[in-house]
Amino acid sequence: MTTPATPDINALARLAAQAQADLARIGETGTDWVPPAEGIDHNVVVVGAGQSGLSAAFGLRRAGIGRVSVVDAAPAGHEGIWRGPARMTILRTPKVPPGPELGLPSLSFQAWYEAAYGVEAYAALPTVPREIWADYVAWFRSASAVEVRNGVTLARVEPQEGRENRGRLRLHFTAEGKTFTETTRKLVLATGIAGSGGPFIPDVVAGLPGHLYAHTHAFDPKALAGRRVAILGSAASAFDAAGALLEAGAGAVDLFSRGADLARGSAMKPFGFFGAWEHFHALPDADRWAVMAHFRRRASFPPPAAVKRAAAHANFRIHLDAGWNAAAPHGDGVRITLNSGATFDADFILLGTGYQADARLYPPFADFAPAIARWADKVAVDEADAALASAPYLGPAFELVESEPGAAPFLADIHFLAFSAMTSTGRPVGDIASLRHNIPRAVAAIGRDLFVADRAKHLARFLAPVGTDDLPRDLYAGALAAGDALAAAE
């Protein structure tokens, strides 16, 4: 069965109303329990309104934490990756796992798809098309009533000094060419790869003119129609890019792998069970590091669907045992010299080389970047694992940790749900399947920290004199024994 051309808008509106009614039925109406604090604009600011940021904001409201603000640099409808850098045609995640709805069935993908296209259509859906998922995330934002300020970019995080400013961060934003500042008690970074230093550009191409290469994170397949493109890398993003290029009319696409064969199995497959998702972070540092180094040393395998998509084109070739030694301008294009000494000419280079994992490279952290602990500060690191070791060493609630204890306590108020959190948690953070595990843990910790920080206010509330309004005396006065009634009257 094929997906109908247009969704049932009326059915989706009814489903959104049902979701709000369901929240009311279970008592999660978003009533704010956090006492207001003078001079603080927000309890929590969430940066990033993709599926992870939306789910975090939704979870915070359900936990009764008010004054949560969500910002995203992208225009509405273009947050996250699904209408941008993602090039796969279908999700790599099966359609079954829970997503951003955090246990509320009426906000799940299945409920949305069945309302939009019918129960039979969902049953017949083998995998989720990427743009269908993007449509669902956009509906989730509306149906969950998460408000987002689009076109707002976080430029700087400024810690506040002094005892009176403890527990607050000053955030510098830009929007429409203007700058402004706001204060928050907690900051959640749900920025994907942007929070980790961005795409990895290997030295072999770093000296090339910018018009001769691009990373798979940002390129236009249509602009390369008719041209010969060389792709460096052989994991999922490289094959996704190859498929997109070939479908857009590339003259030829040659993919280069340094291995003698493609990776044909996932080293992370044994990790895919509930206990690992929930509790990997609780393992000793040495155990976590051993597992993540093991994963990194084994190449990520490309999904069969992505390989099949590219291999279906006659003008696609895979070059094995073909690491690159040099790349230099040659005529109107580029000449690549392989480690073997052979050369290859192309019009353009596309890099499927992955991403950096260093939170210290995130520009808004410039004021305090050296204070952020990395895995290199915690374990003995081989040179081969140096890139992995640059990832931030996070606490159990995804909070940044000080490289020197006591030097930067404000880092505990920055919860890092971006790409390079994976080294601490064992699985990609922000992926669909991660949301049901990661968001509740982060939300619970944020709530705990806010509650404990307001300890004096809550104690005053708990220990206040007990009133008598809850039980009017006239409800039982007529039943009092004569002597008791007389004594009570006096």
Side-chain angles (χ1 to χ4, degrees), residues 341-366:
T343 60
F344 182 88
D345 293 340
D347 298 319
F348 192 82
I349 287 173
L350 199 59
L351 303 172
T353 48
Y355 303 92
Q356 299 184 94
D358 192 347
R360 292 184 179 186
L361 299 177
Y362 184 47
F365 290 167

Side-chain angles (χ1 to χ4, degrees), residues 61-76:
R61 189 175 74 240
R62 292 179 65 181
I65 299 171
R67 291 191 299 149
V68 175
S69 179
V70 184
V71 301
D72 197 292

